[in-house]
Amino acid sequence: MAEDKKVLYSAMQATGALHIGNYYGALKNWINLCDEYECYYAVADLHALTVRQDPAELRKKARNVLMMFIAAGLDPEKNCIYFQSHVSAHAELTWILNCFTYMGELSRMTQFKDKSAKHADNINSGLFTYPVLMASDILLYQTSVVPVGEDQRQHLELTRDIAERFNSIYGDVFTIPEAYFGKAAARVMSLADPSRKMSKSDENPNGCIYVLDDKDTIIRKFKRAITDSETQVVYSDTKPGIMNLIDIYRAATGKSVEEIEKEFDGKGYGEFKLAVGETVADAMAPIRNRYAELSADKAYVDGIIKTNAERAAYKASKTLRKVQKKVGLPERIR
Ligand code: TRP
């Protein structure tokens, strides 16, 4: 990885099975970014601890997400793909930055408010300081750009505020990160309720298409996608179901809305849904195959986990040492 490029950083929670919203909304758009940026992609396993996890499950889910990064096309030689928990600097910087973040700022985070409503029996301090850990992830690598979804925008703003606050006291320690807007990433909605984002916690199992679903399952779910009672494939706010399918088809084929409307002019929803289903299934097939290969090759994946964690740790430790020195922690004796 060339060190003279700007740094791009992103992470995904260790939630296990990834769906096509994660793929078309994030992963797929990350694949070529390493030509322009020095890229870091973490599996945010420490963040996952803010809600109760089964230990064996979490371990498995975290590894699955990491393998999925590679299966989806991120080259682990050109991108640093690693587990957040393997680089202890994340936790160490979080402590320091906690001391530069105000209770008021954290209480205003909408994700905290949502999550504490949802997990009322476990409103732990980790849930509260979640954005500080995220800030540490980003700031440790002197990150310039962060591709994040709408739901993480507020956390990125807070990261900038913390970094600016720290820099104003101690000088230019952190690069101030910006949101990365690449080619418009697709915002994929639930197939069962197109007013909501696709999510693995959709009550209706047909609403969510997993990258590892087989061809028949993918086609069946698309066939059942909720649409309206009309028949014309046109992109319109009044037809959120069809809009979502067009967006997915666009992301999968690179075709424009106009081309798609023309392609299905006079053809009806049934034919359109089948075409979207087949296209997505064909796009997922090679990822599924690569994933199966990786699952069978423990030594190869372990090797990537080890070398990339070392690479990340090296970079992160430089920033951490600088911060420790600035705030006045005693120098290490070598
Ligand atoms: N909080 C992010 C999410 O839930 C995941 C994440 C953790 C992240 N650390 C990050 C994203 C750093 C971007 C940069 O989606």
Short mmCIF file of all heavy atoms in Angstrom, two decimals, residues 37-70:
data_model
loop_
_atom_site.label_atom_id
_atom_site.label_comp_id
_atom_site.label_asym_id
_atom_site.label_seq_id
_atom_site.Cartn_x
_atom_site.Cartn_y
_atom_site.Cartn_z
N TYR A 37 -6.88 5.77 -2.98
CA TYR A 37 -6.65 5.99 -1.55
C TYR A 37 -5.92 4.81 -0.91
O TYR A 37 -5.97 3.69 -1.41
CB TYR A 37 -8.00 6.16 -0.82
CG TYR A 37 -8.81 7.34 -1.27
CD1 TYR A 37 -9.84 7.19 -2.19
CD2 TYR A 37 -8.54 8.60 -0.77
CE1 TYR A 37 -10.59 8.28 -2.61
CE2 TYR A 37 -9.29 9.70 -1.18
CZ TYR A 37 -10.32 9.54 -2.10
OH TYR A 37 -11.04 10.62 -2.51
N GLU A 38 -5.32 5.11 0.22
CA GLU A 38 -4.81 4.04 1.09
C GLU A 38 -6.01 3.62 1.95
O GLU A 38 -6.49 4.40 2.77
CB GLU A 38 -3.67 4.63 1.94
CG GLU A 38 -3.00 3.69 2.89
CD GLU A 38 -2.00 4.44 3.78
OE1 GLU A 38 -1.45 5.48 3.36
OE2 GLU A 38 -1.79 3.99 4.91
N CYS A 39 -6.53 2.43 1.70
CA CYS A 39 -7.83 2.07 2.28
C CYS A 39 -7.75 1.13 3.48
O CYS A 39 -7.04 0.12 3.45
CB CYS A 39 -8.70 1.39 1.22
SG CYS A 39 -9.15 2.49 -0.13
N TYR A 40 -8.50 1.45 4.50
CA TYR A 40 -8.64 0.60 5.68
C TYR A 40 -10.11 0.25 5.85
O TYR A 40 -10.97 1.14 5.83
CB TYR A 40 -8.16 1.34 6.94
CG TYR A 40 -6.67 1.58 6.92
CD1 TYR A 40 -6.15 2.67 6.23
CD2 TYR A 40 -5.80 0.71 7.56
CE1 TYR A 40 -4.78 2.88 6.19
CE2 TYR A 40 -4.43 0.92 7.53
CZ TYR A 40 -3.92 2.00 6.84
OH TYR A 40 -2.58 2.20 6.78
N TYR A 41 -10.38 -1.04 6.02
CA TYR A 41 -11.75 -1.49 6.29
C TYR A 41 -11.74 -2.41 7.49
O TYR A 41 -11.13 -3.49 7.45
CB TYR A 41 -12.33 -2.23 5.08
CG TYR A 41 -12.38 -1.36 3.84
CD1 TYR A 41 -11.47 -1.54 2.80
CD2 TYR A 41 -13.35 -0.36 3.71
CE1 TYR A 41 -11.51 -0.74 1.67
CE2 TYR A 41 -13.39 0.44 2.58
CZ TYR A 41 -12.47 0.25 1.57
OH TYR A 41 -12.51 1.04 0.45
N ALA A 42 -12.40 -1.98 8.54
CA ALA A 42 -12.41 -2.80 9.75
C ALA A 42 -13.73 -3.52 9.93
O ALA A 42 -14.78 -3.06 9.47
CB ALA A 42 -12.15 -1.92 10.97
N VAL A 43 -13.66 -4.65 10.59
CA VAL A 43 -14.87 -5.30 11.09
C VAL A 43 -15.01 -4.79 12.52
O VAL A 43 -14.14 -5.04 13.36
CB VAL A 43 -14.74 -6.84 11.07
CG1 VAL A 43 -16.00 -7.47 11.64
CG2 VAL A 43 -14.46 -7.33 9.65
N ALA A 44 -16.08 -4.03 12.76
CA ALA A 44 -16.23 -3.33 14.05
C ALA A 44 -16.76 -4.29 15.11
O ALA A 44 -17.92 -4.22 15.51
CB ALA A 44 -17.12 -2.11 13.88
N ASP A 45 -15.87 -5.16 15.56
CA ASP A 45 -16.31 -6.16 16.55
C ASP A 45 -16.43 -5.57 17.96
O ASP A 45 -17.25 -6.03 18.76
CB ASP A 45 -15.40 -7.40 16.52
CG ASP A 45 -13.91 -7.07 16.58
OD1 ASP A 45 -13.56 -5.87 16.65
OD2 ASP A 45 -13.10 -8.01 16.56
N LEU A 46 -15.65 -4.54 18.26
CA LEU A 46 -15.80 -3.90 19.57
C LEU A 46 -17.14 -3.17 19.66
O LEU A 46 -17.81 -3.22 20.70
CB LEU A 46 -14.67 -2.89 19.82
CG LEU A 46 -13.25 -3.47 19.97
CD1 LEU A 46 -12.24 -2.32 20.07
CD2 LEU A 46 -13.15 -4.35 21.21
N HIS A 47 -17.52 -2.53 18.58
CA HIS A 47 -18.83 -1.87 18.56
C HIS A 47 -19.97 -2.87 18.79
O HIS A 47 -20.99 -2.53 19.39
CB HIS A 47 -19.05 -1.14 17.23
CG HIS A 47 -18.42 0.22 17.17
ND1 HIS A 47 -17.38 0.54 16.35
CD2 HIS A 47 -18.71 1.35 17.85
CE1 HIS A 47 -17.05 1.81 16.51
NE2 HIS A 47 -17.84 2.33 17.42
N ALA A 48 -19.77 -4.08 18.32
CA ALA A 48 -20.83 -5.10 18.46
C ALA A 48 -21.13 -5.41 19.92
O ALA A 48 -22.24 -5.85 20.25
CB ALA A 48 -20.43 -6.38 17.72
N LEU A 49 -20.15 -5.17 20.80
CA LEU A 49 -20.36 -5.51 22.22
C LEU A 49 -21.33 -4.58 22.93
O LEU A 49 -21.72 -4.85 24.07
CB LEU A 49 -19.01 -5.49 22.96
CG LEU A 49 -17.97 -6.51 22.49
CD1 LEU A 49 -16.68 -6.32 23.28
CD2 LEU A 49 -18.48 -7.93 22.66
N THR A 50 -21.73 -3.49 22.27
CA THR A 50 -22.66 -2.57 22.92
C THR A 50 -24.05 -3.17 23.08
O THR A 50 -24.86 -2.64 23.83
CB THR A 50 -22.76 -1.23 22.15
OG1 THR A 50 -23.09 -1.52 20.79
CG2 THR A 50 -21.43 -0.48 22.20
N VAL A 51 -24.32 -4.24 22.35
CA VAL A 51 -25.52 -5.02 22.64
C VAL A 51 -25.08 -6.45 22.99
O VAL A 51 -24.00 -6.88 22.60
CB VAL A 51 -26.55 -5.04 21.47
CG1 VAL A 51 -27.03 -3.64 21.17
CG2 VAL A 51 -25.97 -5.67 20.22
N ARG A 52 -25.89 -7.17 23.74
CA ARG A 52 -25.49 -8.52 24.18
C ARG A 52 -25.27 -9.44 23.00
O ARG A 52 -26.08 -9.49 22.09
CB ARG A 52 -26.57 -9.14 25.07
CG ARG A 52 -26.61 -8.58 26.44
CD ARG A 52 -25.49 -9.11 27.35
NE ARG A 52 -25.49 -8.32 28.56
CZ ARG A 52 -24.73 -7.22 28.73
NH1 ARG A 52 -23.87 -6.84 27.81
NH2 ARG A 52 -24.83 -6.52 29.84
N GLN A 53 -24.15 -10.17 23.06
CA GLN A 53 -23.81 -11.09 21.98
C GLN A 53 -23.51 -12.46 22.58
O GLN A 53 -22.95 -12.55 23.66
CB GLN A 53 -22.54 -10.61 21.26
CG GLN A 53 -22.62 -9.23 20.66
CD GLN A 53 -23.36 -9.19 19.34
OE1 GLN A 53 -23.67 -10.23 18.76
NE2 GLN A 53 -23.66 -7.99 18.87
N ASP A 54 -23.80 -13.48 21.81
CA ASP A 54 -23.34 -14.81 22.17
C ASP A 54 -21.88 -14.91 21.70
O ASP A 54 -21.59 -14.65 20.53
CB ASP A 54 -24.21 -15.85 21.46
CG ASP A 54 -23.71 -17.25 21.70
OD1 ASP A 54 -24.00 -17.78 22.78
OD2 ASP A 54 -23.01 -17.80 20.82
N PRO A 55 -20.94 -15.25 22.61
CA PRO A 55 -19.52 -15.20 22.25
C PRO A 55 -19.16 -16.02 20.99
O PRO A 55 -18.47 -15.51 20.10
CB PRO A 55 -18.81 -15.76 23.48
CG PRO A 55 -19.78 -15.60 24.60
CD PRO A 55 -21.15 -15.66 24.01
N ALA A 56 -19.60 -17.25 20.93
CA ALA A 56 -19.24 -18.10 19.78
C ALA A 56 -19.83 -17.52 18.50
O ALA A 56 -19.19 -17.51 17.45
CB ALA A 56 -19.74 -19.52 20.00
N GLU A 57 -21.05 -17.02 18.62
CA GLU A 57 -21.73 -16.42 17.46
C GLU A 57 -20.99 -15.18 16.97
O GLU A 57 -20.81 -14.98 15.78
CB GLU A 57 -23.15 -16.01 17.86
CG GLU A 57 -24.18 -17.10 17.70
CD GLU A 57 -24.30 -17.54 16.25
OE1 GLU A 57 -24.54 -16.67 15.39
OE2 GLU A 57 -24.11 -18.75 16.00
N LEU A 58 -20.61 -14.33 17.93
CA LEU A 58 -19.94 -13.09 17.55
C LEU A 58 -18.64 -13.39 16.81
O LEU A 58 -18.33 -12.80 15.78
CB LEU A 58 -19.67 -12.22 18.78
CG LEU A 58 -18.86 -10.93 18.51
CD1 LEU A 58 -19.55 -10.03 17.50
CD2 LEU A 58 -18.59 -10.17 19.80
N ARG A 59 -17.89 -14.35 17.35
CA ARG A 59 -16.62 -14.72 16.72
C ARG A 59 -16.86 -15.17 15.28
O ARG A 59 -16.15 -14.80 14.36
CB ARG A 59 -15.96 -15.84 17.53
CG ARG A 59 -14.47 -15.78 17.52
CD ARG A 59 -13.74 -16.72 18.45
NE ARG A 59 -14.48 -17.39 19.48
CZ ARG A 59 -14.51 -17.02 20.76
NH1 ARG A 59 -13.85 -15.96 21.16
NH2 ARG A 59 -15.19 -17.72 21.64
N LYS A 60 -17.90 -15.97 15.12
CA LYS A 60 -18.22 -16.48 13.79
C LYS A 60 -18.68 -15.36 12.86
O LYS A 60 -18.23 -15.24 11.72
CB LYS A 60 -19.33 -17.55 13.92
CG LYS A 60 -19.35 -18.53 12.79
CD LYS A 60 -20.19 -19.77 13.13
CE LYS A 60 -21.64 -19.55 12.71
NZ LYS A 60 -22.55 -20.56 13.27
N LYS A 61 -19.56 -14.52 13.38
CA LYS A 61 -20.10 -13.43 12.56
C LYS A 61 -19.00 -12.47 12.12
O LYS A 61 -18.98 -12.01 10.98
CB LYS A 61 -21.18 -12.66 13.34
CG LYS A 61 -22.48 -13.43 13.48
CD LYS A 61 -23.62 -12.55 13.96
CE LYS A 61 -23.43 -12.06 15.37
NZ LYS A 61 -24.65 -11.42 15.93
N ALA A 62 -18.09 -12.18 13.04
CA ALA A 62 -17.01 -11.23 12.71
C ALA A 62 -16.15 -11.80 11.58
O ALA A 62 -15.82 -11.10 10.63
CB ALA A 62 -16.17 -10.95 13.95
N ARG A 63 -15.83 -13.08 11.69
CA ARG A 63 -15.00 -13.70 10.65
C ARG A 63 -15.75 -13.76 9.31
O ARG A 63 -15.18 -13.55 8.25
CB ARG A 63 -14.58 -15.11 11.09
CG ARG A 63 -13.48 -15.69 10.21
CD ARG A 63 -13.01 -17.03 10.73
NE ARG A 63 -12.11 -17.67 9.80
CZ ARG A 63 -10.78 -17.72 9.94
NH1 ARG A 63 -10.21 -17.16 10.96
NH2 ARG A 63 -10.04 -18.32 9.02
N ASN A 64 -17.04 -14.01 9.41
CA ASN A 64 -17.85 -14.05 8.18
C ASN A 64 -17.85 -12.70 7.46
O ASN A 64 -17.77 -12.65 6.23
CB ASN A 64 -19.29 -14.46 8.50
CG ASN A 64 -19.39 -15.92 8.89
OD1 ASN A 64 -18.40 -16.65 8.82
ND2 ASN A 64 -20.56 -16.34 9.32
N VAL A 65 -17.96 -11.63 8.22
CA VAL A 65 -17.96 -10.30 7.58
C VAL A 65 -16.60 -10.05 6.92
O VAL A 65 -16.53 -9.58 5.78
CB VAL A 65 -18.28 -9.18 8.60
CG1 VAL A 65 -18.09 -7.81 7.97
CG2 VAL A 65 -19.72 -9.32 9.10
N LEU A 66 -15.54 -10.43 7.61
CA LEU A 66 -14.21 -10.24 7.03
C LEU A 66 -14.04 -11.05 5.74
O LEU A 66 -13.53 -10.55 4.73
CB LEU A 66 -13.13 -10.61 8.06
CG LEU A 66 -11.70 -10.34 7.61
CD1 LEU A 66 -10.98 -9.46 8.62
CD2 LEU A 66 -10.92 -11.62 7.41
N MET A 67 -14.52 -12.28 5.76
CA MET A 67 -14.41 -13.10 4.54
C MET A 67 -15.29 -12.53 3.42
O MET A 67 -14.96 -12.60 2.25
CB MET A 67 -14.82 -14.55 4.83
CG MET A 67 -13.77 -15.29 5.65
SD MET A 67 -14.02 -17.08 5.63
CE MET A 67 -15.58 -17.24 6.48
N MET A 68 -16.41 -11.95 3.84
CA MET A 68 -17.31 -11.37 2.85
C MET A 68 -16.67 -10.16 2.17
O MET A 68 -16.86 -9.95 0.97
CB MET A 68 -18.62 -10.98 3.54
CG MET A 68 -19.72 -10.63 2.58
SD MET A 68 -20.13 -12.00 1.50
CE MET A 68 -21.40 -12.75 2.46
N PHE A 69 -15.90 -9.37 2.92
CA PHE A 69 -15.18 -8.25 2.32
C PHE A 69 -14.33 -8.76 1.16
O PHE A 69 -14.32 -8.20 0.07
CB PHE A 69 -14.22 -7.61 3.34
CG PHE A 69 -14.86 -6.66 4.34
CD1 PHE A 69 -16.22 -6.42 4.33
CD2 PHE A 69 -14.09 -6.02 5.29
CE1 PHE A 69 -16.79 -5.55 5.25
CE2 PHE A 69 -14.64 -5.14 6.21
CZ PHE A 69 -16.00 -4.91 6.19
N ILE A 70 -13.62 -9.84 1.42
CA ILE A 70 -12.70 -10.38 0.41
C ILE A 70 -13.49 -11.01 -0.74
O ILE A 70 -13.19 -10.77 -1.91
CB ILE A 70 -11.75 -11.42 1.03
CG1 ILE A 70 -11.00 -10.80 2.22
CG2 ILE A 70 -10.77 -11.95 0.00
CD1 ILE A 70 -10.26 -11.81 3.08
#
